[in-house]
DNA sequence: GCCATATGATACTATCTTCGTATCATATGC
DNA sequence: GCATATGATACGAAGATAGTATCATATGGC
């Protein structure tokens, strides 16, 4: 399950992708536009900077911008940056030791198979694709 | 994310599928064989009976058995029985109202697409298939 | 230089969820 | 009638989640 924190991270990245090439954008602007509690968002952005998905500039006129092209950032990148354990269907997918049946559990194989598919799908969804997909409904988007 | 409770439910169903046609099996036996806390399992089994995945017999010689053929019970059935909100990648997949962007959020569509796939996959995995898959490693299985 | 504005870093708290336990009631076979 | 089994809830500890608060530090413009 994608947590709300990760959901916010995705929305923030999406907003910054929409305004890529417009220079640094402040956390306050993102918070208001995307309807995210400001202080909560600050901590999230800090993390995204630390994971090198964003670059920040301090001081007046400072703010955030994408560290890479929107084509080069996937949903998986964001999800993994926020939560190292990602979405994982079942914890045994990560640590099979948790399941005492792990040496012979057929469920494990099936879940891993699905998990691999999910990760591949998330990895294939770039911010650019999402932006493009939304651009057809430009009117609905919060304007700067 | 599949919770541990649901994981236990799957293991219990799997054990009962392995011993389908052998009459009622007690919760105590399942608990010991599958390494699940007895009282916790009791509550889980109660739920599975309520959702009509299991049928129970009370009193001496009583216990549980599958309500349907192992071919007719999927992982999705079990997961849905334990947690109505299933695995859901993101809560907005369920209640789009939660996301203020829901009317135009491209993420939503993508997540729903993946979710549908995951559910279809889980729905295609029957207990019979899992039992069959494990039967090649019969030696590893806890014996009755 | 000073100050408004911006991020960096971390500590703290309330609430919810998860995992598990405990208790008592009820049914049934021998 | 009694051991054995499930039915139904209530309770509790621990952890995760969502959000707040506080301080430090950098920087552009006056
Ligand atoms: S290894 Fe995951 S349920 Fe068994
Ligand atoms: S509707 Fe789910 S992230 Fe927007």
């Amino acid at each position: 399950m994608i947590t709300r924190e990760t959901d916010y991270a995705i929305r923030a990245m999406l907003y910054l992708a929409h305004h890529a090439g417009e220079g640094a954008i402040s956390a306050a602007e993102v918070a208001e536009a995307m309807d995210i509690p400001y202080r909560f968002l600050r901590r999230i952005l800090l993390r995204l900077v630390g994971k090198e998905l964003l670059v920040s500039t301090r001081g007046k006129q400072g703010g955030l911008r994408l560290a890479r092209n929107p084509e080069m950032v996937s949903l998986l990148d964001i999800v993994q940056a926020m939560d190292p354990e990602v979405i994982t269907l079942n914890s045994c997918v990560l640590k099979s030791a948790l399941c005492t049946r792990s040496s012979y559990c057929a469920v494990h194989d099936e879940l891993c198979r699905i998990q691999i598919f999910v990760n591949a799908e998330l990895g294939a969804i770039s911010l650019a694709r999402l932006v493009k997909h939304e651009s057809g409904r430009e009117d609905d988007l919060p304007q700067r």
Side-chain angles (χ1 to χ4, degrees), chain A residues 90 92-93 96 99 101-102 105-108 111:
Chain A
N90 195 352
C92 74
V93 171
S96 54
C99 178
R101 293 171 47 74
S102 57
C105 181
V107 181
H108 185 85
L111 291 181

PDB file of all heavy atoms in Angstrom, chain A residues 90 92-93 96 99 101-102 105-108 111, ligand 1:
ATOM      1  N   ASN A  90       3.616  -8.902   0.126  1.00  0.00           N
ATOM      2  CA  ASN A  90       3.735  -9.635   1.382  1.00  0.00           C
ATOM      3  C   ASN A  90       5.169  -9.499   1.870  1.00  0.00           C
ATOM      4  O   ASN A  90       6.092  -9.496   1.070  1.00  0.00           O
ATOM      5  CB  ASN A  90       3.396 -11.113   1.164  1.00  0.00           C
ATOM      6  CG  ASN A  90       3.151 -11.833   2.469  1.00  0.00           C
ATOM      7  OD1 ASN A  90       3.383 -11.276   3.535  1.00  0.00           O
ATOM      8  ND2 ASN A  90       2.691 -13.049   2.391  1.00  0.00           N
ATOM      9  N   CYS A  92       7.027 -11.501   3.127  1.00  0.00           N
ATOM     10  CA  CYS A  92       7.869 -12.657   2.813  1.00  0.00           C
ATOM     11  C   CYS A  92       8.524 -12.512   1.450  1.00  0.00           C
ATOM     12  O   CYS A  92       9.484 -13.203   1.135  1.00  0.00           O
ATOM     13  CB  CYS A  92       7.074 -13.958   2.886  1.00  0.00           C
ATOM     14  SG  CYS A  92       5.943 -14.198   1.520  1.00  0.00           S
ATOM     15  N   VAL A  93       7.987 -11.601   0.629  1.00  0.00           N
ATOM     16  CA  VAL A  93       8.609 -11.338  -0.659  1.00  0.00           C
ATOM     17  C   VAL A  93       9.996 -10.731  -0.438  1.00  0.00           C
ATOM     18  O   VAL A  93      10.936 -10.991  -1.164  1.00  0.00           O
ATOM     19  CB  VAL A  93       7.744 -10.401  -1.513  1.00  0.00           C
ATOM     20  CG1 VAL A  93       8.480  -9.936  -2.757  1.00  0.00           C
ATOM     21  CG2 VAL A  93       6.442 -11.092  -1.903  1.00  0.00           C
ATOM     22  N   SER A  96      12.154 -13.760   3.126  1.00  0.00           N
ATOM     23  CA  SER A  96      11.477 -15.050   3.157  1.00  0.00           C
ATOM     24  C   SER A  96      11.697 -15.757   4.486  1.00  0.00           C
ATOM     25  O   SER A  96      10.975 -16.676   4.841  1.00  0.00           O
ATOM     26  CB  SER A  96      11.935 -15.911   1.990  1.00  0.00           C
ATOM     27  OG  SER A  96      13.335 -16.013   1.991  1.00  0.00           O
ATOM     28  N   CYS A  99       8.764 -16.252   6.917  1.00  0.00           N
ATOM     29  CA  CYS A  99       7.800 -17.332   6.758  1.00  0.00           C
ATOM     30  C   CYS A  99       8.493 -18.651   7.019  1.00  0.00           C
ATOM     31  O   CYS A  99       9.440 -19.009   6.331  1.00  0.00           O
ATOM     32  CB  CYS A  99       7.212 -17.307   5.351  1.00  0.00           C
ATOM     33  SG  CYS A  99       6.039 -18.623   4.997  1.00  0.00           S
ATOM     34  N   ARG A 101       7.525 -21.343   6.352  1.00  0.00           N
ATOM     35  CA  ARG A 101       7.300 -22.228   5.228  1.00  0.00           C
ATOM     36  C   ARG A 101       8.185 -21.848   4.048  1.00  0.00           C
ATOM     37  O   ARG A 101       8.110 -22.466   2.988  1.00  0.00           O
ATOM     38  CB  ARG A 101       5.838 -22.132   4.776  1.00  0.00           C
ATOM     39  CG  ARG A 101       4.859 -22.677   5.790  1.00  0.00           C
ATOM     40  CD  ARG A 101       3.418 -22.362   5.383  1.00  0.00           C
ATOM     41  NE  ARG A 101       3.135 -22.671   3.987  1.00  0.00           N
ATOM     42  CZ  ARG A 101       2.987 -23.882   3.499  1.00  0.00           C
ATOM     43  NH1 ARG A 101       3.094 -24.904   4.302  1.00  0.00           N
ATOM     44  NH2 ARG A 101       2.733 -24.067   2.236  1.00  0.00           N
ATOM     45  N   SER A 102       8.995 -20.827   4.222  1.00  0.00           N
ATOM     46  CA  SER A 102       9.642 -20.188   3.075  1.00  0.00           C
ATOM     47  C   SER A 102      10.424 -21.138   2.178  1.00  0.00           C
ATOM     48  O   SER A 102      10.558 -20.902   0.993  1.00  0.00           O
ATOM     49  CB  SER A 102      10.545 -19.060   3.531  1.00  0.00           C
ATOM     50  OG  SER A 102      11.489 -19.565   4.445  1.00  0.00           O
ATOM     51  N   CYS A 105       7.282 -22.810   0.286  1.00  0.00           N
ATOM     52  CA  CYS A 105       5.975 -22.181   0.155  1.00  0.00           C
ATOM     53  C   CYS A 105       5.685 -21.746  -1.280  1.00  0.00           C
ATOM     54  O   CYS A 105       6.366 -20.896  -1.837  1.00  0.00           O
ATOM     55  CB  CYS A 105       5.881 -20.990   1.090  1.00  0.00           C
ATOM     56  SG  CYS A 105       4.296 -20.160   1.009  1.00  0.00           S
ATOM     57  N   ALA A 106       4.654 -22.329  -1.855  1.00  0.00           N
ATOM     58  CA  ALA A 106       4.291 -22.015  -3.238  1.00  0.00           C
ATOM     59  C   ALA A 106       3.747 -20.589  -3.355  1.00  0.00           C
ATOM     60  O   ALA A 106       3.870 -19.962  -4.404  1.00  0.00           O
ATOM     61  CB  ALA A 106       3.247 -23.013  -3.737  1.00  0.00           C
ATOM     62  N   VAL A 107       3.154 -20.096  -2.280  1.00  0.00           N
ATOM     63  CA  VAL A 107       2.593 -18.747  -2.304  1.00  0.00           C
ATOM     64  C   VAL A 107       3.694 -17.729  -2.596  1.00  0.00           C
ATOM     65  O   VAL A 107       3.509 -16.795  -3.370  1.00  0.00           O
ATOM     66  CB  VAL A 107       1.927 -18.415  -0.948  1.00  0.00           C
ATOM     67  CG1 VAL A 107       1.332 -17.015  -0.980  1.00  0.00           C
ATOM     68  CG2 VAL A 107       0.864 -19.440  -0.611  1.00  0.00           C
ATOM     69  N   HIS A 108       4.810 -17.956  -1.972  1.00  0.00           N
ATOM     70  CA  HIS A 108       5.955 -17.059  -2.127  1.00  0.00           C
ATOM     71  C   HIS A 108       6.292 -16.824  -3.597  1.00  0.00           C
ATOM     72  O   HIS A 108       6.402 -15.682  -4.046  1.00  0.00           O
ATOM     73  CB  HIS A 108       7.154 -17.659  -1.398  1.00  0.00           C
ATOM     74  CG  HIS A 108       8.347 -16.777  -1.384  1.00  0.00           C
ATOM     75  ND1 HIS A 108       8.527 -15.791  -0.450  1.00  0.00           N
ATOM     76  CD2 HIS A 108       9.413 -16.717  -2.204  1.00  0.00           C
ATOM     77  CE1 HIS A 108       9.670 -15.176  -0.692  1.00  0.00           C
ATOM     78  NE2 HIS A 108      10.221 -15.716  -1.754  1.00  0.00           N
ATOM     79  N   LEU A 111       3.597 -14.743  -5.368  1.00  0.00           N
ATOM     80  CA  LEU A 111       3.610 -13.338  -4.963  1.00  0.00           C
ATOM     81  C   LEU A 111       4.807 -12.605  -5.559  1.00  0.00           C
ATOM     82  O   LEU A 111       4.692 -11.474  -6.010  1.00  0.00           O
ATOM     83  CB  LEU A 111       3.625 -13.218  -3.434  1.00  0.00           C
ATOM     84  CG  LEU A 111       2.342 -13.649  -2.723  1.00  0.00           C
ATOM     85  CD1 LEU A 111       2.477 -13.447  -1.211  1.00  0.00           C
ATOM     86  CD2 LEU A 111       1.142 -12.885  -3.245  1.00  0.00           C
TER      87      LEU A 111
HETATM   88  S1  LIG E   1       6.898 -17.565   1.966  1.00  0.00           S
HETATM   89 FE1  LIG E   1       5.338 -16.067   1.936  1.00  0.00          FE
HETATM   90  S2  LIG E   1       3.459 -17.039   2.529  1.00  0.00           S
HETATM   91 FE2  LIG E   1       5.047 -18.510   2.595  1.00  0.00          FE
END
